[in-house]
């Protein structure tokens, strides 16, 4: 089985992230229709993942590092939820009015169990297929997390094999 090599750089600590780099991506524009305009989206594929571990003595899972991928250009990483919230706030500040960023998360339901502890989701910001099966959620009225597992119905291994770039 052949795997494409993963680039080791550019990785950037969240403290060194410059949200202005998002201006290099175009916006997918929609035709204007009526008063209730739907959001437009930044034309870049983003992804989010956390690494966690269980502490058996307190029966608690904890996140110890997170990664946020911006296209094929940049991987941002951090260690705390405060850093992650700061990153999202920086991103929302540079997005134009009515422009959203879509972020794919493989098994969003798992990451959501952590996110709901650091962000107070409104009822209209979470769309579930059933109890504890989150398909998408929105943070800061501009960042939409979507579950690539539910959308693709594939394990991460099969998903990457199927959608891997041939370049």
């Amino acid at each position: 089985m052949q795997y494409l090599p993963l680039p080791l750089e550019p990785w950037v600590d969240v403290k060194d992230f410059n949200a202005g780099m998002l201006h290099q991506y175009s916006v997918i524009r929609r035709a204007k229709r009526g008063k209730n305009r739907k959001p437009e989206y930044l034309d870049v594929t983003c992804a989010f993942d956390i690494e966690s571990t269980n502490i058996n003595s307190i029966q608690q899972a904890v996140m110890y590092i997170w990664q946020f991928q911006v296209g094929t250009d940049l991987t941002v990483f951090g260690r705390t939820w405060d850093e992650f919230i700061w990153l999202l706030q920086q991103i929302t500040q540079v997005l134009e009015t009515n422009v959203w960023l879509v972020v794919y998360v493989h098994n969003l339901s798992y990451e959501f169990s952590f996110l709901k502890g650091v962000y107070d989701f409104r009822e209209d910001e979470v769309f579930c297929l059933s109890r504890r099966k989150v398909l998408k959620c929105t943070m800061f009225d501009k960042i939409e997390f979507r579950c690539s597992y539910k959308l693709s119905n594939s394990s991460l291994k099969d998903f990457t094999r199927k959608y891997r770039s041939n370049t």
Side-chain angles (χ1 to χ4, degrees), residues 1-6 157 160-162 164-167:
M1 179 176 293
Q2 179 186 1
Y3 291 98
L4 297 174
L6 295 174
K157 181 179 178 182
T160 55
R161 183 181 303 134
K162 183 176 180 179
R164 180 177 31 217
S165 171
N166 293 326
T167 58

Side-chain angles (χ1 to χ4, degrees), residues 1-88:
M1 179 176 293
Q2 179 186 1
Y3 291 98
L4 297 174
L6 295 174
L8 298 176
E9 293 184 6
W11 286 81
V12 65
D13 186 283
V14 67
K15 296 173 196 85
D16 299 320
F17 176 70
N18 178 0
M21 64 88 61
L22 295 172
H23 291 297
Q24 69 181 306
Y25 301 104
S26 60
V27 174
I28 300 170
R29 302 283 179 196
R30 294 180 173 196
K32 295 180 183 179
R33 295 183 191 149
K35 295 178 185 177
N36 297 328
R37 283 184 49 200
K38 292 188 177 187
E40 299 171 328
Y41 296 97
L42 202 60
D43 193 12
V44 60
T45 302
C46 293
F48 173 66
D49 186 37
I50 67 170
E51 300 303 326
S52 63
T53 190
N54 288 316
I55 301 175
N56 292 331
S57 62
I58 60 172
Q59 296 182 336
Q60 178 79 35
V62 295
M63 178 273 303
Y64 60 88
I65 193 166
W66 56 262
Q67 308 87 40
F68 188 92
Q69 184 69 33
V70 181
T72 57
D73 301 321
L74 184 66
T75 304
V76 182
F77 64 91
R79 301 290 302 239
T80 68
W81 286 113
D82 287 340
E83 290 174 333
F84 180 67
I85 296 299
W86 179 86
L87 171 80
L88 297 184

Side-chain angles (χ1 to χ4, degrees), residues 38-167:
K38 292 188 177 187
E40 299 171 328
Y41 296 97
L42 202 60
D43 193 12
V44 60
T45 302
C46 293
F48 173 66
D49 186 37
I50 67 170
E51 300 303 326
S52 63
T53 190
N54 288 316
I55 301 175
N56 292 331
S57 62
I58 60 172
Q59 296 182 336
Q60 178 79 35
V62 295
M63 178 273 303
Y64 60 88
I65 193 166
W66 56 262
Q67 308 87 40
F68 188 92
Q69 184 69 33
V70 181
T72 57
D73 301 321
L74 184 66
T75 304
V76 182
F77 64 91
R79 301 290 302 239
T80 68
W81 286 113
D82 287 340
E83 290 174 333
F84 180 67
I85 296 299
W86 179 86
L87 171 80
L88 297 184
Q89 290 170 337
Q90 297 303 303
I91 290 171
T92 57
Q93 288 177 9
V94 301
L95 293 175
E96 298 173 31
T97 303
N98 206 45
V99 174
W100 290 29
L101 182 68
V102 173
V103 181
Y104 291 95
V105 180
H106 210 72
N107 194 5
L108 177 58
S109 297
Y110 182 74
E111 267 78 352
F112 184 79
S113 68
F114 289 90
L115 290 173
K116 69 181 182 177
V118 297
Y119 181 82
D120 190 21
F121 286 95
R122 298 185 316 259
E123 190 173 310
D124 65 329
E125 291 179 315
V126 182
F127 182 82
C128 297
L129 297 173
S130 62
R131 185 178 170 103
R132 298 190 188 127
K133 301 293 182 196
V134 180
L135 184 62
K136 70 176 186 171
C137 64
T138 304
M139 294 177 71
F140 301 107
D141 295 319
K142 285 192 170 261
I143 300 179
E144 182 177 302
F145 293 90
R146 296 180 184 176
C147 183
S148 57
Y149 176 63
K150 293 291 181 193
L151 292 169
S152 68
N153 197 30
S154 299
S155 68
L156 189 55
K157 181 179 178 182
D158 291 341
F159 180 82
T160 55
R161 183 181 303 134
K162 183 176 180 179
Y163 295 103
R164 180 177 31 217
S165 171
N166 293 326
T167 58

